[in-house]
């Protein structure tokens, strides 16, 4: 209540933001009035005029930065270089701050210039990806607001069809005036090429140079030339890999990128969130023989999976009669829980879990097992739970481990084959064995380490093979094409060419599918998407769905989300979810709905979460004789063309998730019957009068426009995604620019999200209401319960990404230091010998302090251990270390160690 009162008084955050931006929009209009009177040549002369203005105001600070860079390069002293480095960092910050202030001042004039240029280009022809298009775009006021938000380094949430591509031209033009380059980052190379050619028409008219990195080969002069352009378009992967490649070159002219000044990320949620769990890696061959081991152990793992399947079937068969009887129900639920640990996707098990009350009983057993594990070993009653199984799967965490029975089956002759030795204990015993000389200790340590490495590698391979067989499904997680395993992106449904799962999982899947196992690779250079984009002085983003993830955007990237209003009100009807007991019932209901809407002459877009589901639905549609297009990871080359046609009357399109993202679905002739739709808008339009509908209230009621609209694009969701925004993206394909539309999601209790994270309450509800086969439940409470399940998964995924970033932050500090020193050397700065010597001195000093520990007296030192450690870690031997009379204090030890280090260097 307090919150609603507060909002009434001071307005929503969005309204307050709009109040701040409104005066800027008014200033743009004032400049426009003047620019309308100029000739084309005078308007084009605005670019050099504005460039001069920016250069004039920032010239002094830019000169200071250049002077400090020069001094640092020519300075021979490492300490002095460090001081100059700090001064340079401060000078660069001051320059960037002043530059932003200047750009803010010229913003109204620059935006007005772009808007007027758009107006002058209307009717002109531009060739985009081989198709001739007529330029017909002039930014609306809401698009100007979007441009201001992007210039301020924030995320603009703009609905599908609101012209994000055009919005980006405004801040790109403004920020390119500084001459430091402005980047536009997209999710795929089709969009990068399309937008660079389409918007390039406007930029080149204004005298700006435009390039697309995806049109050039990596590490070539052509790629370098594209980065030298005022505005550069490209995909996130190419930008990131170019950065890594630049830091592996041997000559300065081989580098292609320049400074990371300003970037706008298109579909920012897809890049900064969905792709953030997979780091960018440049790898090289290891030359190990472990690749053959995957094929070797695969045969044993296949046998193990077969045995486990038989055990799971037996457990289910024993449980079935027991769960029906109140007296033995708990015993039956325990058997089902065991089967769930071993084979969670067993079809018979999934069917049994739909029976009234069974799922909640199994969950009670799970809670009892967790509570039992916390008790002392003697009091545990459920320790036997894993005894019958060969391995245990954790489907939520995507992990697996062998049980004792599994170990015995895999290696009956040598039960210790898979028992990894306690390396720390073994090393401790060797270090304190008085009968061994230092050299023998080193040799023994190597043997222990080799045994440990071999056993842990074997165990690792077996675990990865089990994961591949039990948790990764063909046509869902990956596809096999031309003898290669290709990963399917779980968020877009696209094939991820060139990407491989890490830690041997890809090799395991290759062995499972019987294709050639490619050799394992080692990482030569790596960076996470998060850390690459955090290098930019200013970062902005645009997408149709960012609000649900605004916490993550702010915590990790410091980016605020601003929801930009639509130019015309949204008139889409979003129906409540329809939930069925089984997948089969759900698919039949989807077919009925698609056929019904098809007969009404409406276009239908069916959104699926995997290739497998789209192909199943495609077969069902064929059986009903309904013509349709399938758009999934297998046909992504045609995705933009197929999606563009999805608005034609009576067309049916099945699309994996968000395939074809970035391409608008325009309604075909007859799909939209009124000029102004009568469906009640979600909210009042911004800065416009509410439009009067063409039809009278009586006609709107008769045609059921508010319940089952007779026109517009119909969105049918076949499953809720783990992330709410993916569902919002699918819904958002309908109802663009005030068009009518509707969306509905069909779910079942067998869906992965419902099964793993949310269906117990809904299952209990179905049990209580006695839902029959084929019966559907729909209720706002159920929709909200599913939303809560999605929030839980989103939080879990956010924690995983945050953890990945925390690990990478440590590496990032090292990466920044090494890369800056490398660049310094490439640029012909003073040699780095002084820095290397300083690193050696610091390292040996740290080791000396660790070895001395709490010992105050030099006679208490373990000098034999010191000799061994310095030899093992740095390959140096310190003269006189064994003699307490020669090295008598900590300072003497450090000096002697540093001297030995310098001599070895």
């Amino acid at each position: 209540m307090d919150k609603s009162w507060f909002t009434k008084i001071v307005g929503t955050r969005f309204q307050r933001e709009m109040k701040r931006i409104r005066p800027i929009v008014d200033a743009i209009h004032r400049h426009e009035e003047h620019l309308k009177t100029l000739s084309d040549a005078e308007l084009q002369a605005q670019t050099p005029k504005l460039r001069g203005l920016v250069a004039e105001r920032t010239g002094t600070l830019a000169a200071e930065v250049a002077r400090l860079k020069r001094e640092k390069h020519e300075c021979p002293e490492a300490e002095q270089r460090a001081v100059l480095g700090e001064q340079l960092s401060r000078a660069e910050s001051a320059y960037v701050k002043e530059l932003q202030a200047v750009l803010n001042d010229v913003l109204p004039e620059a935006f007005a210039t772009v808007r007027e240029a758009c107006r002058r280009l209307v009717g002109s022809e531009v060739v985009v990806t081989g198709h001739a298009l007529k330029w017909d775009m002039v930014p609306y006021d809401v698009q100007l607001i979007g441009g201001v938000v992007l210039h301020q380094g924030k995320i603009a949430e703009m609905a599908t069809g609101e012209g994000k591509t055009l919005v980006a031209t405004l801040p790109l033009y403004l920020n390119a005036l500084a001459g430091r380059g402005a980047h536009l980052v997209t999710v795929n190379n089709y969009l990068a090429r399309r937008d660079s050619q389409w918007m390039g028409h406007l930029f080149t008219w204004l005298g700006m140079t435009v390039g697309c990195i995806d049109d050039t080969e990596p590490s070539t002069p052509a790629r370098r030339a594209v980065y030298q352009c005022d505005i550069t378009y490209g995909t996130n992967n190419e930008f990131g890999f170019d950065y890594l490649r630049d830091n592996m070159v041997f000559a300065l002219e081989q580098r292609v990128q320049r400074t990371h000044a300003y970037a706008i990320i298109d579909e920012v949620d897809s890049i900064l969130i969905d792709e953030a769990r997979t780091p960018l890696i440049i790898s090289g061959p290891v030359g190990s023989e472990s690749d053959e081991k995957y094929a070797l152990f695969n045969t044993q793992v296949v046998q193990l999976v077969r045995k486990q399947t038989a055990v799971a079937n037996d457990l289910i068969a024993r449980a079935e009669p027991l769960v029906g009887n109140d007296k033995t129900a708990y015993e039956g639920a325990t058997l089902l829980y065991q089967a769930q640990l071993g084979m969670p996707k067993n079809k018979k098990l999934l069917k049994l879990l739909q029976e009234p009350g069974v799922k909640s009983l199994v969950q009670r057993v799970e809670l009892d097992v967790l509570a039992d594990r916390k008790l002392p070993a003697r009091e545990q009653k459920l320790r036997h739970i894993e005894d019958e199984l060969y391995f245990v799967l954790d489907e939520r965490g995507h992990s697996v481990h062998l049980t004792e029975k599994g170990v015995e089956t895999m290696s009956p002759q040598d039960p210790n084959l898979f028992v990894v030795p306690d390396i720390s204990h073994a090393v401790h015993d060797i270090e304190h064995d008085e009968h061994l000389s230092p050299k023998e200790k080193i040799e023994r340590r190597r043997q222990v380490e080799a045994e440990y490495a071999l056993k842990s590698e074997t165990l690792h391979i077996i675990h990865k093979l089990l994961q591949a067989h039990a948790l990764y499904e063909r046509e869902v997680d990956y596809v096999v094409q031309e003898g290669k395993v290709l990963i399917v992106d779980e968020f877009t449904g696209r094939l991820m060419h060139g990407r491989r799962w890490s830690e041997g999982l890809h090799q395991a899947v290759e062995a499972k599918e019987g294709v050639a196992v490619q050799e394992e690779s080692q990482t030569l250079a790596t960076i996470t998407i998060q850390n690459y984009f955090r290098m930019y002085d200013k970062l902005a983003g645009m997408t149709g769905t960012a609000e649900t993830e605004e916490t993550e955007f702010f915590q990790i990237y410091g980016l605020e989300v601003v929801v930009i209003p639509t130019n015309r009100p949204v008139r889409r009807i979003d129906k409540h979810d329809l939930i069925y007991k089984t997948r089969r019932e759900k698919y039949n209901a989807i077919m009925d709905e698609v056929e019904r809407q098809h007969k009404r002459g409406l276009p239908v877009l069916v959104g699926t979460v995997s290739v497998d589901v789209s192909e199943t639905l495609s077969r069902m549609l064929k059986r009903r004789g309904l013509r349709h297009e399938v758009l999934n990871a297998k046909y992504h080359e045609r995705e933009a063309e197929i999606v563009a046609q999805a608005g034609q009357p009576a067309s049916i399109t099945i699309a994996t998730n968000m395939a074809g993202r970035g391409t608008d679905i325009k309604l075909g002739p007859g799909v939209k019957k009124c000029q102004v739709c009568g469906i009640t808008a979600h909210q009042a339009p911004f800065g416009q009068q509410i439009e009067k509908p063409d039809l009278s209230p009586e006609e709107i009621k008769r045609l059921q426009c508010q319940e089952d609209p007779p026109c517009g694009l119909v969105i049918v969701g076949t499953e809720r995604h783990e992330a709410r925004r993916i569902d919002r993206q699918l819904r958002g394909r309908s109802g663009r620019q005030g068009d009518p539309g509707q969306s509905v999601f069909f779910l079942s209790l067998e869906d992965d999200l419902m099964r793993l994270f949310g269906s117990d309450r809904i299952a209990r509800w179905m049990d209580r209401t006695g839902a029959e086969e084929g019966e559907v439940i729909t209720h706002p409470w159920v929709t909200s319960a599913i939303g809560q399940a999605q929030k839980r998964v989103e939080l879990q995924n956010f924690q995983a990404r945050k953890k990945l970033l925390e690990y990478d932050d440590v590496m990032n500090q090292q990466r920044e230091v090494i890369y800056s020193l490398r660049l310094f050397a490439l640029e012909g700065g003073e040699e780095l010998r002084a820095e290397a010597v300083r690193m050696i001195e610091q390292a040996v000093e740290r080791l000396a302090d660790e070895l001395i520990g709490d010992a105050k007296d030099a006679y208490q030192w373990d000098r034999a251990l010191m000799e061994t450690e310095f030899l093992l870690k740095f390959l140096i031997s310190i003269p006189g270390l064994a003699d307490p009379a020669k090295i008598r204090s900590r300072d003497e030890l450090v000096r002697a160690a540093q001297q030995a280090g310098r001599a070895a260097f």
Side-chain angles (χ1 to χ4, degrees):
M1 196 55 150
D2 296 342
K3 192 177 177 186
S4 63
W5 272 104
F6 180 78
T7 303
K8 274 179 190 167
I9 297 162
V10 301
T12 61
R13 191 183 72 183
F14 162 70
Q15 287 165 338
R16 296 195 296 276
E17 195 73 42
M18 291 301 106
K19 218 175 260 182
R20 282 197 287 272
I21 293 175
R22 191 76 248 187
I24 303 173
V25 175
D26 295 338
I28 295 168
H29 289 314
R30 286 195 297 276
H31 276 287
E32 237 177 313
E33 291 309 310
H34 159 66
L35 293 173
K36 278 177 184 170
T37 63
L38 302 181
S39 68
D40 283 2
E42 286 171 325
L43 184 64
Q44 287 169 325
Q46 280 286 101
T47 302
K49 175 197 148 186
L50 292 171
R51 277 193 208 271
L53 200 66
V54 172
E56 188 185 320
R57 292 239 332 240
T58 57
T60 313
L61 286 167
E64 175 64 6
V65 168
R67 182 188 69 79
L68 286 166
K69 269 187 181 171
R70 212 168 35 250
E71 274 189 35
K72 185 184 171 189
H73 270 221
E74 291 161 6
C75 177
E77 289 297 318
E79 281 79 6
Q80 185 59 27
R81 276 209 294 271
V83 172
L84 284 167
E86 284 171 22
Q87 289 176 2
L88 177 60
S89 181
R90 283 197 295 273
E92 284 173 336
S93 298
Y95 166 71
V96 168
K97 195 175 177 183
E98 180 59 25
L99 177 63
Q100 292 315 312
V102 177
L103 293 177
N104 289 341
D105 292 345
V106 301
L107 183 150
E109 193 174 349
F111 277 28
T113 303
V114 174
R115 198 178 189 186
E116 184 56 29
C118 288
R119 199 172 279 117
R120 306 261 175 118
L121 286 170
V122 168
S124 63
E125 198 170 271
V126 53
V127 177
V128 179
T129 61
H131 303 287
L133 296 177
K134 279 261 190 299
W135 183 275
D136 60 351
M137 297 181 289
V138 179
Y140 305 119
D141 277 8
V142 288
Q143 290 174 307
L144 296 178
I145 291 168
V148 172
V149 166
L150 291 174
H151 166 68
Q152 291 172 344
K154 295 176 182 174
I155 290 173
E157 176 173 310
M158 301 179 75
T160 304
E162 289 298 305
K164 292 188 279 288
T165 309
L166 182 65
V167 170
T169 59
L170 299 154
L172 284 173
Y173 173 78
L174 172 63
N175 284 272
L177 294 170
R180 303 168 76 220
H183 296 166
L184 190 126
V185 186
T186 68
V187 282
N188 64 43
N189 52 19
Y190 167 76
L191 291 178
R193 289 193 183 101
R194 184 197 74 177
D195 295 354
S196 64
Q197 291 167 22
W198 199 9
M199 299 302 119
H201 182 57
L202 168 65
F203 290 129
T204 47
W205 194 86
L206 283 166
M208 289 268 177
T209 54
V210 185
C212 173
I213 56 175
D214 289 75
D215 287 337
T216 60
E217 288 299 312
S219 307
T220 58
R223 177 71 58 101
R224 186 185 172 95
V226 169
Y227 277 109
Q228 295 303 314
C229 289
D230 293 313
I231 292 154
T232 306
Y233 283 78
T235 55
N236 57 310
N237 287 353
E238 282 305 307
F239 277 113
F241 284 131
D242 279 341
Y243 168 71
L244 293 175
R245 282 189 284 261
D246 274 2
N247 287 291
M248 293 169 69
V249 299
F250 295 105
L252 196 58
E253 58 275 11
Q254 292 172 332
R255 286 172 68 89
V256 294
Q257 287 190 344
R258 47 180 177 157
T259 54
H260 296 91
Y262 176 61
I264 297 175
I265 303 177
D266 189 12
E267 308 297 3
V268 65
D269 56 315
S270 181
I271 291 172
L272 293 190
I273 290 181
D274 299 342
E275 300 212 7
R277 282 190 286 184
T278 320
L280 298 175
I281 295 170
I282 290 181
S283 53
V286 178
S288 69
E289 285 104 47
S290 64
D291 316 320
E292 295 151 27
K293 291 182 186 170
Y294 283 97
L296 179 75
F297 287 117
N298 185 52
T299 318
Q300 287 176 272
V301 168
V302 169
Q303 296 295 330
L304 205 66
V305 171
R306 280 194 191 135
K307 286 179 178 175
Q308 179 99 320
T309 308
V311 168
N313 288 338
D314 178 53
L315 288 166
I316 294 161
R318 281 157 50 199
E320 207 167 355
L322 299 174
V323 288
N325 184 333
D326 288 348
K327 289 179 183 175
T328 56
Y330 187 83
E331 189 188 336
T334 307
L335 293 170
L336 288 180
Y337 175 65
Q338 283 177 277
Q340 194 177 44
L341 284 176
M343 282 285 160
K345 291 187 176 179
N346 184 296
K347 285 189 171 61
K348 192 85 190 288
L349 172 69
L350 294 177
K351 197 163 175 22
L352 257 178
L353 290 174
Q354 304 312 320
E355 297 289 324
V358 173
K359 190 175 177 77
S360 47
L361 250 179
V362 172
Q363 283 170 335
R364 209 177 93 203
V365 172
E366 184 176 5
L367 292 172
D368 289 348
V369 169
L370 292 173
D372 190 66
R373 279 186 191 150
K374 292 175 184 171
L375 298 172
R378 291 191 308 280
E379 296 170 33
Q380 289 179 5
K381 293 191 179 75
L382 296 168
R383 287 179 71 188
H384 67 281
I385 210 96
E386 295 177 5
D387 289 356
E388 288 184 57
L389 303 172
Y390 294 93
F391 54 88
V392 174
L393 293 165
D394 172 12
E395 200 182 356
R396 290 179 198 179
H398 258 230
S399 61
V400 61
H401 72 261
L402 275 176
T403 61
E404 284 182 22
K405 190 174 177 182
V407 169
E408 284 168 20
T409 310
M410 290 290 284
S411 160
Q413 290 84 19
D414 180 8
N416 290 324
L417 183 63
F418 299 118
V419 179
V420 179
D422 180 351
I423 193 164
S424 56
H425 192 267
V427 168
H428 180 271
D429 288 347
I430 292 165
E431 293 299 348
H432 292 82
D433 190 337
E434 295 168 6
H435 305 296
L436 297 173
S437 67
K439 278 189 179 173
E440 285 172 329
K441 284 181 182 178
I442 291 169
E443 192 52 45
R444 288 286 287 278
R445 263 181 79 159
R446 281 190 184 139
Q447 285 171 7
V448 168
E449 283 164 5
E451 186 196 356
Y452 176 82
L454 182 68
K455 285 193 172 181
S456 54
E457 184 197 26
T458 305
L459 201 56
H460 175 75
I461 288 170
I462 285 165
H463 279 165
K464 288 295 159 193
L465 283 164
L466 285 170
Q467 253 178 291
H469 279 277
L471 296 173
Y472 285 79
E473 291 182 56
R474 185 170 174 165
E475 305 293 335
V476 176
D477 301 297
Y478 63 92
V479 296
V480 179
Q481 280 184 9
E482 295 167 9
K484 284 185 181 170
V485 170
L486 300 173
I487 302 171
V488 174
D489 184 334
E490 65 174 301
F491 294 97
T492 62
R494 290 194 181 96
L495 294 186
M496 299 169 82
H497 289 278
R499 289 277 188 101
R500 290 174 66 79
W501 283 304
S502 57
E503 297 176 345
L505 177 60
H506 212 96
Q507 283 81 359
V509 175
E510 285 167 337
K512 168 192 169 183
E513 292 298 338
V515 300
V517 178
Q518 294 181 24
E519 63 177 6
E520 256 186 283
S521 51
Q522 63 178 332
T523 301
L524 301 178
T526 177
I527 191 168
T528 55
I529 294 280
Q530 292 112 313
N531 272 324
Y532 174 71
F533 284 111
R534 291 199 304 183
M535 290 193 301
Y536 281 86
D537 294 337
K538 186 166 69 175
L539 186 63
M542 49 190 189
T543 178
T545 47
E547 209 180 2
T548 53
E549 312 285 351
E550 62 182 337
T551 312
E552 179 163 356
F553 282 126
F554 189 74
Q555 279 190 22
I556 289 182
Y557 305 97
L559 289 170
E560 287 179 44
V561 175
V562 179
V563 181
I564 309 294
T566 52
N567 184 49
R568 296 184 71 189
V570 177
R571 302 185 189 277
R572 185 184 65 246
I573 301 290
D574 294 330
K575 298 178 180 175
H576 289 303
D577 299 348
L578 303 174
I579 298 148
Y580 295 83
K581 264 197 160 183
T582 66
R583 270 206 187 107
R584 186 171 52 81
E585 294 167 50
K586 176 181 82 171
Y587 289 157
N588 288 332
I590 289 169
M591 289 299 112
D592 294 342
E593 176 67 4
V594 169
E595 194 165 1
R596 183 179 79 85
Q597 299 289 9
H598 177 70
K599 282 176 180 167
R600 296 172 82 200
L602 299 184
V604 182
L605 176 68
V606 183
T608 65
V609 292
S610 70
V611 182
D612 196 29
V613 175
S614 24
E615 294 192 339
T616 302
L617 292 174
S618 173
R619 284 195 298 274
M620 291 175 83
L621 283 171
K622 275 179 193 158
R623 281 203 289 274
R624 293 197 181 205
L626 296 172
R627 285 192 60 202
H628 60 281
E629 285 278 11
V630 179
L631 176 57
N632 59 33
K634 293 185 172 179
Y635 316 110
H636 70 287
E637 291 87 355
R638 292 175 55 221
E639 67 182 34
E641 284 84 355
I642 295 176
V643 164
Q645 296 303 311
Q648 297 306 309
S651 67
I652 301 172
T653 311
I654 300 175
T656 339
N657 224 310
M658 282 320 299
R661 205 171 156 176
T663 308
D664 281 353
I665 299 176
K666 291 180 180 167
L667 299 181
V671 175
K672 184 181 175 183
K673 305 203 170 51
C674 304
Q675 222 24 57
V676 179
C677 179
I679 297 173
T680 309
H682 286 204
Q683 66 258 333
F686 167 78
Q688 288 181 346
Q689 292 304 308
I690 295 176
E691 302 163 301
K692 190 176 183 304
D694 293 1
L695 301 175
S696 67
E698 291 74 28
E699 285 176 300
I700 290 169
K701 195 171 181 182
R702 183 178 61 79
L703 291 168
Q704 290 188 303
C705 292
Q706 308 287 3
E707 294 83 36
D708 191 16
C711 44
L713 175 65
V714 180
I715 300 288
V716 175
T718 59
E719 200 170 318
R720 283 293 201 117
H721 198 274
E722 285 184 357
R724 286 169 296 166
R725 68 199 153 72
I726 306 283
D727 296 339
R728 284 181 65 208
Q729 278 158 13
L730 182 60
R731 286 194 200 273
R733 304 308 290 260
S734 175
R736 60 180 290 284
Q737 285 292 335
D739 286 345
Q742 57 180 300
S743 70
V744 62
F745 276 82
F746 288 78
L747 317 176
S748 84
L749 295 186
E750 292 178 356
D751 294 348
D752 284 349
L753 179 80
M754 305 281 279
R755 196 164 52 78
L756 294 174
F757 296 99
S759 70
D760 49 320
R761 280 163 65 193
I762 300 158
R764 282 204 298 274
W765 194 348
M766 278 193 153
D767 291 344
R768 279 204 298 273
T769 54
E772 296 297 318
E773 171 123 355
E775 203 173 314
V776 60
I777 64 164
T778 179
H779 197 284
W781 288 0
V782 178
T783 305
S784 120
I786 293 158
Q788 290 303 318
Q790 287 175 305
K791 277 185 189 170
R792 286 207 297 278
V793 186
E794 281 168 14
L795 183 66
Q796 194 172 308
N797 289 341
F798 171 40
Q799 298 298 351
R801 288 188 291 269
K802 207 171 172 190
K803 191 64 71 186
L804 173 72
L805 186 64
E806 282 165 11
Y807 287 134
D808 194 61
D809 276 345
V810 179
M811 235 160 83
N812 202 45
Q813 290 167 3
Q814 298 169 354
R815 184 166 40 232
E816 282 173 5
V817 171
I818 297 296
Y819 284 2
S820 65
L821 287 172
R822 203 171 187 282
L823 177 60
F824 182 72
L826 283 172
E827 286 174 341
E830 281 293 320
E831 66 165 89
L832 297 169
R833 185 185 173 84
E835 272 86 353
V837 168
R838 194 172 61 179
M839 285 179 188
I840 290 167
E841 288 175 349
Q842 286 171 346
V844 294
E845 185 174 358
R846 267 200 308 274
L847 181 59
D849 285 336
E850 277 174 32
L851 292 168
I852 291 168
D854 300 330
K856 293 183 175 63
D857 188 352
Y859 285 95
Q860 294 174 344
W861 295 352
D862 186 342
R863 291 173 183 262
L865 178 63
M866 285 180 172
E867 277 187 327
T868 309
E869 286 296 311
F870 275 109
L871 196 59
L872 266 174
K873 290 193 172 149
F874 299 124
L875 296 172
I876 56 173
S877 85
I878 302 166
L881 178 56
D883 187 355
K886 286 187 178 170
I887 294 178
R888 293 163 297 185
S889 66
R890 181 249 178 211
D891 292 347
E892 284 182 9
L893 173 61
V894 169
R895 271 198 302 276
Q898 288 177 341
Q899 178 60 42
R902 282 194 294 270
F905 178 64

